């Protein structure tokens, strides 16, 4: 990893470049999930380059990226192997479709490699360009499957409040983000939500995590019985909720969900868009939680974010039904794009060669979790440290011991996030939780830097709210 840019002195803020790009951006660019009025009054930070786990802005500041971009840059920034794979593929076969009786080497090889990495029961893969499209595709596959089984009335899909499944209309309907639903006058039909397994915020006082996990899982059973098992097609959930706050369910939750899905013949879908490709120290997060899904939504880490790619992993039973029942009327121009699939192959090859998942499992993951607990256990405003491998959620709380949250938790977390940002650390806030998911190649000294900066910001937040 190159650190040659470390010595670069920050330029006077804001530099002429910063002023220039901010002006163009403010005049012509609408950012995702942003209050553009407020953002334009402050001006965006212009990110100009990145290497390893570091970003640089147009004023010459170096930031440590505690979020791997948006949970995706698993192999870190600036890997030439991926750039070269894209270049070679663009020269050889820049684009061709897979609609009309054609295929190409990269998509065929990637499918075989994913079948090997995902293991049984996964045999087949369908491609798209994002996690949102992967979840749209999940719905199409689920509906098609039940139609081929002579059960077209099985069309309810159950998901969770505060789950995140993307921002297409179907993805956002599947998701349980109230603030997104508020701006969607129409939603996809036959999608219903149950409560999330968020122990810290929602368990009754005195209830154990294990009992709470079972109680929340049994809401699925109650919902299936209410709708009629003959009408329920699938349940979808993130193994751990990512955007919702890195919420780790109690260990009793997923085995019970799996039991219920099997009992009522409901397909079990794991949205592995964040959890997949090594984040937890396993290739897929469902292995950490000990359950076996029928379908997986994949994206983000599949290419380490170098180019967009999404996929759905399909178990043999569902894949065979689709293969044997004529045309499946679904696809996108860029399904199985040669450049995206070539970059995914190079990315996964690199992850294997460098044993990145093993390193997260045995070395850097445990070290990161240990350093976080050392820094924040007993901290005056930290009530929970959730996570495994290289993902963590820190619950901010006014009174950690009694699980009493701040009345203005999102505001407090916003203060913390801004303190991180001005301290050149990217840490994300979700509700009243602070999230970390650095690139999977982060080294131990870089973990030390990350945790020290996070501690500075959370200490400063505690002082700001008079708790330290
Ligand atoms: C990011 C994310 C998505 C959506 O992926 P996009 O590529 O942003 O469309 C879906 N599910 C989960 C769990 C995610 O974190």
């Amino acid at each position: 990893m190159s650190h040659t840019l470390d010595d670069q002195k920050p330029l006077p803020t804001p530099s002429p470049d910063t002023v220039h790009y901010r002006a163009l951006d403010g005049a012509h660019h609408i950012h995702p999930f942003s209050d553009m009025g407020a953002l334009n009054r402050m001006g965006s930070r212009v990110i100009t380059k990145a290497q390893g786990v570091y970003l640089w802005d147009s004023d010459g500041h170096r930031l440590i990226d505690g979020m791997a971009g948006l949970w995706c840059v698993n192999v870190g920034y600036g890997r030439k192997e991926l750039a070269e794979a894209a270049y070679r593929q663009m020269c050889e076969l820049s684009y061709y479709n897979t609609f009309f009786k054609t295929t190409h080497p990269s998509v065929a090889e990637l499918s075989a490699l994913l079948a090997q990495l995902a293991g049984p029961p996964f045999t087949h893969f369908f491609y798209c360009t994002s996690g949102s499209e992967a979840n749209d595709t999940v719905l199409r596959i689920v509906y098609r499957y039940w139609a081929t089984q002579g059960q077209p009335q099985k069309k309810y899909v159950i998901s969770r409040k505060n789950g995140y499944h993307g921002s297409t209309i179907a993805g956002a309907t599947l998701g349980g983000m109230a603030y997104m639903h508020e701006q969607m006058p129409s939603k996809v039909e036959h999608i219903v939500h149950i409560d999330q397994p968020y122990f810290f915020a929602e368990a009754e006082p005195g209830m154990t995590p294990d009992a709470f996990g079972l109680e929340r899982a049994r809401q699925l059973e109650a919902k299936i019985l209410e709708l009629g098992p003959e009408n329920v097609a699938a349940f979808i959930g993130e193994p751990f909720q990512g955007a919702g706050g890195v919420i780790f369910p109690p260990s009793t939750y997923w085995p019970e969900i799996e039991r219920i899905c099997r009992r009522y013949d409901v397909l079990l879908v794991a949205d592995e868009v964040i959890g997949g490709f090594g984040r937890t120290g396993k290739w897929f997060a469902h292995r950490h939680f000990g359950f076996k899904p029928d379908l997986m939504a994949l994206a983000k880490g599949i290419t380490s974010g170098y180019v967009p790619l999404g996929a759905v992993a399909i178990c043999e039973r569902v894949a065979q039904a689709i293969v044997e029942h004529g045309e499946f009327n679904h696809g996108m121009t860029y399904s199985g794009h040669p450049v995206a699939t070539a970059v995914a192959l190079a990315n996964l090859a690199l992850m294997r060669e460098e044993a990145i998942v093993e390193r997260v499992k045995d070395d850097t993951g445990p070290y990161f979790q240990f350093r976080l607990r050392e820094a924040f256990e007993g901290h005056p405003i930290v009530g929970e440290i959730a996570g495994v491998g290289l993902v963590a959620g820190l619950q901010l709380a006014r009174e950690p011991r009694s699980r009493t949250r701040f009345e203005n938790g999102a505001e407090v977390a916003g203060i913390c996030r801004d303190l991180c940002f001005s301290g050149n650390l990217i840490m994300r806030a979700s509700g009243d939780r602070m999230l970390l998911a650095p690139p999977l190649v982060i080294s131990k000294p870089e973990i030390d830097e990350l945790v020290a900066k996070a501690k500075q910001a959370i200490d400063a937040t505690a002082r700001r709210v008079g708790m330290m």
Side-chain angles (χ1 to χ4, degrees):
M1 240 171 280
S2 152
H3 288 242
T4 49
L5 295 167
D6 287 10
D7 313 324
Q8 208 172 289
K9 288 247 159 28
L11 306 171
T13 311
S15 73
D17 269 1
T18 306
V19 172
H20 174 67
Y21 290 118
R22 269 186 191 161
L24 298 185
D25 195 77
H28 302 294
H29 179 197
I30 304 287
H31 293 220
F33 290 100
S34 300
D35 172 344
M36 288 312 298
L39 180 59
N40 288 339
R41 282 190 290 282
M42 274 185 44
S44 290
R45 208 154 165 177
V46 183
I47 303 299
T48 52
K49 62 176 114 189
Q51 187 68 45
V53 301
Y54 293 104
L55 304 163
W56 281 264
D57 71 12
S58 53
D59 294 324
H61 299 107
R62 191 185 77 163
L63 298 91
I64 186 161
D65 185 2
M67 283 305 297
L70 264 178
W71 325 82
C72 54
V73 188
N74 289 6
V75 298
Y77 297 95
R79 295 304 303 253
K80 294 246 168 10
E81 296 88 337
L82 275 64
E84 279 157 9
Y87 178 80
R88 277 196 308 273
Q89 183 66 55
M90 283 188 190
C91 296
E92 191 71 21
L93 177 69
S94 54
Y95 174 75
Y96 199 68
N97 74 72
T98 50
F99 281 37
F100 310 120
K101 306 185 179 177
T102 58
T103 190
H104 58 81
S106 294
V107 75
E109 278 176 21
L110 179 62
S111 304
L113 176 58
L114 287 173
Q116 194 187 336
L117 292 175
F122 297 104
T123 54
H124 287 69
F125 296 84
F126 189 100
Y127 298 96
C128 51
T129 48
S130 69
S132 303
E133 286 178 8
N135 284 316
D136 274 51
T137 299
V138 160
L139 291 182
R140 300 288 286 270
I141 291 172
V142 163
Y143 296 144
R144 179 75 189 134
Y145 172 72
W146 288 116
T148 67
Q149 303 304 294
Q151 299 197 65
Q153 82 293 343
K154 253 179 157 348
K155 55 190 168 210
Y156 278 98
V157 176
I158 301 171
S159 65
R160 284 121 28 112
K161 292 176 191 158
N162 199 36
Y164 189 79
H165 300 293
S167 198
T168 53
I169 300 279
T173 306
L174 281 173
M177 300 294 183
Y179 64 93
M180 290 171 77
H181 290 178
E182 276 163 20
Q183 295 184 1
M184 293 166 61
S186 44
K187 302 188 187 64
V188 173
E189 288 177 282
H190 303 113
I191 292 174
V192 296
H193 296 84
I194 58 174
D195 287 326
Q196 57 178 330
Y198 184 4
F199 177 80
F200 189 91
E202 299 184 0
E204 297 293 331
M207 194 171 211
T208 64
D210 282 0
F212 177 75
L214 287 177
E215 185 212 59
R216 286 295 152 106
R218 285 176 188 154
Q219 279 198 14
L220 174 61
E221 187 158 35
K223 185 58 82 179
I224 291 171
L225 292 171
E226 177 194 322
L227 296 167
E230 68 285 5
N231 298 318
V232 180
F235 171 76
I236 182 168
E238 303 152 85
F240 63 88
Q241 289 153 262
V246 183
I247 293 162
F248 268 59
S251 60
T252 48
Y253 181 77
W254 278 112
E256 183 66 1
I257 290 279
E258 183 175 37
R259 182 192 69 76
I260 294 165
C261 287
R262 299 299 162 230
R263 169 149 191 215
Y264 298 102
D265 205 11
V266 165
L267 292 173
L268 176 49
V269 186
D271 184 339
E272 291 262 6
V273 169
I274 288 177
F277 304 103
R279 183 60 50 200
T280 63
K282 299 266 164 63
W283 274 95
F284 298 96
H286 66 264
R287 293 184 189 157
H288 171 75
F289 292 98
F291 71 101
K292 277 203 169 165
D294 301 304
L295 299 167
M296 288 194 280
L298 305 172
K300 292 191 172 120
I302 193 170
T303 55
S304 285
Y306 278 63
V307 292
L309 179 68
V312 178
I314 311 166
C315 70
E316 189 161 21
R317 149 169 89 126
V318 173
Q320 284 314 318
I322 290 187
V323 167
E324 285 161 12
H325 284 84
E327 188 166 330
F328 176 43
N329 301 323
H330 176 55
M332 276 75 71
T333 303
Y334 298 140
S335 290
H337 194 290
V339 178
T341 48
V343 170
L345 279 169
N347 175 56
L348 298 174
L350 203 151
M351 298 217 16
R352 287 174 127 191
E353 275 155 31
E354 298 186 357
I356 288 172
V357 182
E358 291 75 9
R359 205 192 322 162
V360 173
K361 174 167 179 283
D362 298 326
D363 190 23
T364 48
Y367 184 73
F368 175 65
Q369 298 296 333
F370 168 76
R371 292 305 308 260
L372 283 175
R373 280 161 182 77
E374 193 182 51
F376 295 112
E377 247 161 34
H379 190 284
I381 62 163
V382 177
E384 182 195 28
I385 305 155
V388 69
L390 285 174
V391 61
L394 304 172
Q395 173 73 51
L396 302 182
R398 187 161 57 73
E399 221 185 85
R401 275 207 195 91
S402 62
R403 303 205 320 258
T404 308
R405 300 163 81 185
F406 288 104
E407 298 71 32
N408 57 340
E411 210 179 299
V412 175
I415 292 171
C416 185
R417 196 226 9 247
D418 290 344
L419 286 164
C420 293
F421 203 40
S422 53
N424 294 323
L425 162 66
I426 305 277
M427 179 155 67
R428 182 165 162 191
S430 168
D432 51 4
R433 290 168 80 87
M434 301 305 302
L435 319 184
L436 286 168
L440 303 185
V441 294
I442 193 168
S443 68
K444 287 181 178 170
E446 290 163 345
I447 288 173
D448 292 343
E449 180 189 342
L450 187 69
V451 174
K453 284 197 156 137
K455 174 106 169 44
Q456 273 171 17
I458 291 179
D459 286 353
T461 305
R463 287 193 293 272
R464 201 67 84 76
V465 297
M467 302 289 294
M468 218 173 141

